[in-house]
């Protein structure tokens, strides 16, 4: 099952019809999504609403989530709300899209054999619809510029030795304060890098800048946008002991995040996917 939402910002379970309300963003550059989590045992699926104060409300159970390798919640129309999902299946490793119609659209067969670390940080090429970024083989990254219905407009390969050093990408919205969608990248040495967005589909990112080291204490980074209600996009991290940390956004490229705040003491290692 996949999360899906309509233009009214209501997220619904893929097959069950169970619904969860999506929060409204205080600004176009600071979307607000729920946090989804799928357990390693049993594929149990939970949703965490943000409390608007820098924390998460108690989890709510949804139907188990099967045949899912990776997931990227998306905001297709840049209104700050979740309204669809891109996902990679476990069986076949196909890239699919699930939108307001309630049906899965097959996009790219065998995509997951060539790309991993799928994220949808927002509009990267000036088309409003949510675009995709994924790490590829051989030191590349793939950027797909998509239509509102999930179909492909165009795509480019980002090449360079640096892309092969990253273990994961993260991002949702603007981290640098210029209104453009940015991403961060975590390398094998534990350094976190910022890629400022340009809004140009021919060159979607500026040259990377170093945020800081020591990030190997975390095994997963992700973003649901603005967690604390200040209008800036934030970053979350799960450490190796299973605690959840919040890095509040500053809106400044030179230092995009404040010092981390622990918002979950333990238990986050039970999930194989958090998004």
């Amino acid at each position: 099952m996949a999360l899906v939402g309509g233009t009214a910002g209501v997220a619904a379970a893929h097959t069950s019809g169970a619904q969860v309300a999506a929060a409204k963003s205080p600004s176009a550059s600071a979307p607000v999504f729920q946090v989804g989590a799928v357990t390693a045992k049993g594929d149990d699926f939970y949703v965490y609403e943000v409390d608007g104060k820098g924390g998460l409300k108690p989890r709510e159970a949804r139907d188990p989530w099967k045949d899912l390798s990776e997931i990227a919640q998306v905001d297709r129309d840049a209104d700050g709300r979740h309204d669809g999902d891109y996902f990679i299946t476990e069986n076949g490793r196909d890239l699919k899209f699930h939108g307001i119609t309630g049906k899965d659209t097959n996009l790219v067969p065998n995509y997951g054999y060539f790309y991993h670390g799928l994220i949808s940080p927002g509009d990267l090429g000036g088309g409003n619809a949510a675009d995709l970024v994924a790490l590829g083989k051989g030191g590349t990254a793939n950027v797909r510029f998509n239509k509102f219905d999930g179909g492909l407009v165009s795509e480019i390969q980002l090449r360079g030795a640096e892309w092969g050093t990253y273990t994961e990408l993260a991002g949702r919205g603007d981290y640098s304060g210029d209104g453009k969608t940015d991403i961060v990248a975590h390398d094998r040495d534990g350094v976190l890098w910022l890629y400022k967005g340009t809004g140009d589909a021919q060159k979607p990112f500026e040259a990377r800048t170093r945020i800081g080291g020591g990030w190997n204490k975390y095994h997963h980074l992700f973003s649901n946008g603005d967690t604390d209600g200040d209008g800036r996009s934030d970053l979350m991290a799960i450490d190796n002991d299973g605690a959840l940390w919040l890095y509040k956004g500053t809106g400044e490229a030179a230092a995009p995040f404040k010092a981390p705040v622990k918002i979950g003491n333990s238990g986050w290692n039970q999930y194989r996917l958090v998004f």
Side-chain angles (χ1 to χ4, degrees):
M1 128 186 359
L3 288 174
V4 63
T7 55
V10 177
H14 174 78
T15 56
S16 70
Q19 294 185 340
V20 287
K24 185 175 181 180
S25 168
S27 73
S29 61
V32 183
F33 282 23
Q34 299 157 324
V35 174
V38 178
T39 60
K41 295 182 179 180
D43 289 328
D44 295 324
F45 171 40
Y46 297 95
V47 169
Y48 294 82
E49 302 270 6
V50 300
D51 64 9
K53 301 176 182 178
L56 301 176
K57 297 180 181 180
R59 70 184 188 181
E60 300 177 10
R62 297 292 182 263
D63 289 345
W65 202 323
K66 304 293 184 180
D67 193 26
L68 184 70
S69 174
E70 297 186 27
I71 175 74
Q73 299 184 72
V74 299
D75 171 16
R76 298 173 298 166
D77 54 5
D79 68 350
R81 305 183 184 197
H82 163 244
D83 54 20
D85 304 280
Y86 291 94
F87 62 98
I88 299 174
T89 62
E90 287 188 302
N91 296 319
R93 308 291 291 172
D94 300 329
L95 176 66
K96 297 186 178 184
F97 174 75
H98 188 85
I100 194 172
T101 63
K103 297 180 180 179
D104 294 343
T105 302
N106 296 324
L107 298 178
V108 185
N110 302 319
Y111 182 88
Y113 289 111
F114 303 98
Y115 301 105
H116 66 96
L118 185 74
I119 65 169
S120 180
D123 171 27
L124 294 170
N128 278 340
D131 301 317
L132 287 178
V133 187
L135 295 172
K137 296 182 178 180
T140 66
N142 175 257
V143 182
R144 285 177 52 99
F145 302 99
N146 297 310
K147 302 176 184 177
F148 181 83
D149 64 1
L152 177 67
V153 174
S154 62
E155 64 181 335
I156 61 173
Q157 298 291 323
L158 304 178
R159 300 186 183 277
E162 63 192 82
W163 294 102
T165 69
Y166 298 137
T167 60
E168 62 179 342
L169 308 174
R172 189 169 304 282
D174 173 27
Y175 290 130
S176 60
D178 62 1
K180 298 181 176 67
T181 298
D182 308 317
I183 66 171
V184 296
H186 176 200
D187 73 19
R188 287 191 293 267
D189 294 326
V191 178
L192 192 69
W193 301 86
L194 173 68
Y195 282 86
K196 289 181 61 178
T198 65
D200 181 354
Q202 300 302 313
K203 186 182 178 182
F205 301 113
E206 296 182 12
R208 68 179 183 173
T209 57
R210 191 178 191 272
I211 295 175
W215 288 80
N216 276 349
K217 62 186 176 183
Y218 302 117
H219 69 79
H220 182 49
L221 307 179
F222 66 99
S223 177
N224 70 318
D226 179 19
T227 303
D228 60 351
D230 66 355
R232 300 185 183 96
S233 287
D234 308 315
L235 183 68
M236 292 191 190
I238 300 173
D239 70 21
N240 294 322
D241 294 323
L244 180 65
W245 297 82
L246 174 67
Y247 283 80
K248 296 182 180 180
T250 65
E252 299 178 2
F257 304 113
K258 298 180 182 179
V261 177
K262 184 185 286 188
I263 62 172
N265 289 326
S266 63
W268 287 84
N269 279 347
Q270 68 184 289
Y271 300 120
R272 67 179 180 89
L273 296 173
V274 180
F275 49 91

